[in-house]
Amino acid sequence: MGIDLAFIWAGLIAVAILAYVILDGFDLGIGILFPFLKGVRHRDQAMNTVAPVWDGNETWLVLGGGGLFAVFPLAYAIILPALYAPIIAMLIGLIFRGVAFEFRWRTNRWKTTWDMSFFLGSLTASFAQGVTLGALIQGIEVSGRAYAGGWWDWLTPFSLMCGVALVVGYGLLGATWLIMKTDGTLNSRAYHLSWFLAAGMALVMGIVSIWTPFLDPKFMQRWFSAPSIYYVSVVPVITFALFVALVLSLNAKRDGRPFLISLALFLISYIGLGISMYPFMIPPSITIWQAAAPDESLRFLLTGTVVLLPVIVIYTAYSYWVFRGKTRSGEGYH
């Protein structure tokens, strides 16, 4: 039996996208929380917690997006015209927050303006990512090998709900990251925000989880028909257990645990998404194998990735190890 290169590449792209979501998610979350932090001193301290790693986190977006273009060209050719508007909004948001991130340190007079820009850029990028994900889950109309829908097909109540859900989820990642990386008054403020965001996360995850199976009969069959229900029912059980663990860790003020549990909530959500969508790259019609490039291309690109991917993983892990520990007020990297 030969090696299923399309399946391997689908797994690599999925890992790259998950790595981007959980790594860039918390620094986007800090931007979302900016208006709720008290004063310039808190915002400086919050920004200093991510200053050494935030741009490296976006490496995974390049890997995921570039990999999709190279190894699943049909998916790229269909998804891009279907989702131009939210994808462009996401890119503008990411660029805008990157400029604001650097410029706010160079001025006192315009610092408030750049703080607001950092917040709006983070909010726009996060919401657009959620809308893009929601539009992909609900399905894209395809005729032959091309997008057959309209300009505004992505704009639905479900995609907007996914946008809100990702903003809340990133906010929770940002707040729990600040719990782990700070002390003093900012640490207390992050605990306070985490309680509200944990409740919000439970609400939006519940809504999206209940809504998703009704989007497609295949989703409904996967989640509610025997024998698959016996296997997939473990997902909501684990999700409930993680929320209980999150509440207990916030109540016990264990600074590292809330962030790790929040990451686990994103991971279990991602697994749930995979259960619904597999084996489709573009629901409800294009599978992983239909979207993949020829085996010769997949094999050639996999050779380079086997070398490149460990370098990225080692570089990322080393960055987090070097800048481990709490970032205290008045200390920083700018």
Side-chain angles (χ1 to χ4, degrees), residues 2 18 44 86 121 125 171 196 199 230 245 257 267 283 289 309 315 333:
L18 176 63
D44 286 351
F196 290 100
Y230 303 125
R257 290 186 185 179
L267 176 60
W289 299 276
L309 193 59
Y315 162 77
Y333 309 102

Side-chain angles (χ1 to χ4, degrees), residues 32-111:
I32 292 167
L33 296 177
F34 243 44
F36 306 100
L37 302 181
K38 294 181 176 178
V40 172
R41 194 173 180 182
H42 272 185
R43 291 170 189 161
D44 286 351
Q45 189 180 357
M47 196 167 268
N48 269 320
T49 65
V50 296
V53 296
W54 77 277
D55 46 357
N57 292 340
E58 295 186 356
T59 302
W60 296 96
L61 179 62
V62 176
L63 181 63
L68 185 67
F69 173 72
V71 300
F72 295 107
L74 179 59
Y76 199 89
I78 293 171
I79 292 173
L80 203 61
L83 302 174
Y84 267 138
I87 289 174
I88 290 173
M90 177 191 72
L91 294 176
I92 291 174
L94 290 175
I95 293 169
F96 204 51
R97 72 186 287 271
V99 173
F101 194 105
E102 298 298 337
F103 275 40
R104 73 176 299 278
W105 296 101
R106 312 294 179 224
T107 179
N108 289 320
R109 183 181 179 185
W110 296 99
K111 182 164 274 190

